[in-house]
Amino acid sequence: MAWIYWAPDPGGAGFTRPWRAAQYKNQTLVFLDRRMTPSQAEAIATAVMQPDDRRAEIAARQQEEMQQLQRQRKAVAIGMVGMAAGALIAYQSGLPWVKGLLYGGVPTFFIAKVWLDRRALRG
C-alpha cells in the first residue's frame, strides 16, 4: 500500500504533491507520481505476456470461428459457380434465368457446405 502525503519541494518554493489528478467522465482519478524501475517493468511485462488458460481458450475459439468463416466463403464461391451454370443451362433450355440461378446455386451451395464441414470434421 502506498501512502499519499504532502512533501516539501526540494527547490524550496513550497509544497508539491506526489500524485497527479485527472478528470475522466466527471470522476477524479488519482495517480501516484512515481517512476517504475526496470525490474518492476520486466515483472509486469512477463506477467502480461505469459499465456494462461483463458487466453488459450479464446484463441482456440477465434481460430475455430475463422476456419468456419473460410469454409462458408468457399461454399458461397462454389454456390456462385453453380448459379452461373444454372443460369446458363436455363438460358439454353428457354427457362427463366432466375429459376436457373436458384436451381443451380442453392443445391450447389448446400452440397458444398455439407462436404466442406464433413471434411473439416475428419481432420
Side-chain angles (χ1 to χ4, degrees):
M1 178 176 194
W3 293 92
I4 298 176
Y5 56 90
W6 288 95
D9 185 23
F15 289 93
T16 62
R17 31 185 194 167
W19 65 84
R20 294 173 303 184
Q23 291 288 329
Y24 178 72
K25 292 187 178 178
N26 297 328
Q27 293 182 356
T28 301
L29 305 176
V30 177
F31 304 99
L32 287 178
D33 196 14
R34 292 195 287 176
R35 302 291 183 233
M36 193 180 305
T37 64
S39 62
Q40 289 173 333
E42 186 67 32
I44 290 172
T46 303
V48 168
M49 297 303 290
Q50 280 182 335
D52 59 351
D53 294 338
R54 195 176 112 246
R55 287 184 186 174
E57 290 172 4
I58 291 170
R61 188 182 73 232
Q62 288 176 344
Q63 181 72 17
E64 183 180 329
E65 289 172 357
M66 185 181 70
Q67 290 173 349
Q68 175 67 21
L69 184 61
Q70 287 176 345
R71 286 194 303 271
Q72 287 177 349
R73 287 178 177 169
K74 286 179 186 177
V76 166
I78 293 170
M80 291 185 81
V81 170
M83 288 174 75
L88 182 63
I89 292 171
Y91 177 75
Q92 297 281 331
S93 63
L95 293 172
W97 62 273
V98 174
K99 284 187 178 181
L101 286 173
L102 291 174
Y103 293 158
V106 173
T108 307
F109 168 76
F110 284 115
I111 291 169
K113 179 85 170 107
V114 169
W115 175 66
L116 289 169
D117 286 342
R118 288 186 60 136
R119 193 175 82 169
L121 287 176
R122 280 191 242 155

